[in-house]
Amino acid sequence: MSSAPYGQARPAETLAGFLASAAIFVSLMGIAYRPLRLIPGAIVLALIASGIGGRAGRLATWAVAIAGASFAIGMAAAVITSNPLW
């Protein structure tokens, strides 16, 4: 039985994981609060995490998708409920 050697994560990969998880959290909070204040920043965080890549590449991809969907849902919810966008 063999397995691939486990290499140590680079600090940038760890940072990418944290950025991706923060982007998911902020984008989901943006749906409930003010979408134009929070979600564009979350999209930027997700794109930075995706650019760093590494082990958190799949999480960063999900963060970009969730942030994009949150923007559409948050804007639609704010317009339908007549809440302020920012």
Side-chain angles (χ1 to χ4, degrees), residues 28-82:
L28 292 177
M29 289 301 296
I31 293 174
Y33 188 53
R34 301 187 190 252
L36 278 180
R37 264 192 202 170
L38 297 176
I39 299 177
I43 291 173
V44 169
L45 285 177
L47 289 174
I48 291 171
S50 181
I52 292 172
R55 291 186 183 181
R58 184 182 281 173
L59 179 64
T61 303
W62 276 102
V64 171
I66 290 170
S70 294
F71 183 77
I73 293 169
M75 293 297 285
V79 169
I80 290 170
T81 60
S82 298

Side-chain angles (χ1 to χ4, degrees), residues 12-30:
E13 293 174 352
T14 305
L15 178 66
F18 283 127
L19 287 176
S21 61
I24 291 172
F25 177 76
V26 171
S27 62
L28 292 177
M29 289 301 296

